[in-house]
């Protein structure tokens, strides 16, 4: 796992916003005192999840209102899809997000 620091303070209140980490546009969510980093595009129709809202532990896509669980990434019942959830770590110097490294990069870089 390769860790990257998120170069912005995380607000004390609930928050949804787009961040750029390691060249990827991701969605940073703070919901009910928990922090999540998820993919920023909805797999259903490509909606930008950072423009959505949270409801009952789910992120809601602003286009067709499809919902995804913030802890598991699974779509609501009947959707049959999911979003990618990135691991996060709160360290003394800030918030970090983890990316899996490919085997190719691990052995040849």
């Amino acid at each position: 796992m390769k860790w990257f620091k998120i170069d912005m303070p995380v607000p004390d209140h609930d928050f949804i916003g787009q961040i750029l980490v390691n060249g990827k546009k991701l969605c940073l969510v703070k919901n009910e005192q928990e922090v999540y980093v998820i993919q920023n595009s909805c797999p259903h129709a490509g909606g930008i999840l950072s423009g959505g809202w949270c409801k009952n532990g789910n992120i809601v896509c602003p286009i067709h209102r499809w919902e995804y669980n913030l802890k598991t990434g699974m779509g609501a019942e009947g959707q049959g899809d999911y979003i990618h959830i990135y691991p996060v770590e709160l360290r003394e110097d800030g918030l970090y997000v983890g990316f899996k490294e490919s085997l190719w990069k691990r052995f040849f870089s």
Side-chain angles (χ1 to χ4, degrees):
M1 186 79 50
K2 189 160 183 151
W3 294 90
F4 295 88
K5 185 175 181 183
I6 296 175
D7 290 328
M8 68 173 279
V10 178
D12 292 331
H13 54 83
D14 286 354
F15 168 85
I16 300 174
Q18 180 176 288
I19 57 174
L20 185 64
V21 181
N22 193 32
K24 288 186 139 209
K25 290 179 184 176
L26 302 175
C27 181
L28 174 65
V29 179
K30 184 168 185 183
N31 184 58
E32 298 179 358
Q33 302 304 315
E34 294 288 328
V35 177
Y36 306 92
V37 174
I38 61 174
Q39 72 182 55
N40 198 31
S41 62
C42 176
H44 168 241
I48 304 301
L49 294 175
S50 58
W53 60 92
C54 291
K55 180 178 96 177
N56 301 324
N58 293 334
I59 183 97
V60 181
C61 177
I63 295 181
H64 294 114
R65 293 177 166 63
W66 282 39
E67 298 183 25
Y68 300 91
N69 185 285
L70 288 168
K71 292 182 193 259
T72 67
M74 296 304 298
E77 189 174 330
Q79 286 180 205
D81 60 356
Y82 65 93
I83 59 172
H84 186 77
I85 306 291
Y86 293 85
V88 293
E89 281 187 6
L90 185 57
R91 300 180 185 173
E92 286 184 24
D93 64 335
L95 186 67
Y96 286 77
V97 60
F99 288 85
K100 290 182 182 177
E101 286 189 283
S102 70
L103 283 174
W104 183 262
K105 281 192 173 186
R106 275 193 259 161
F107 291 117
F108 299 105
S109 60

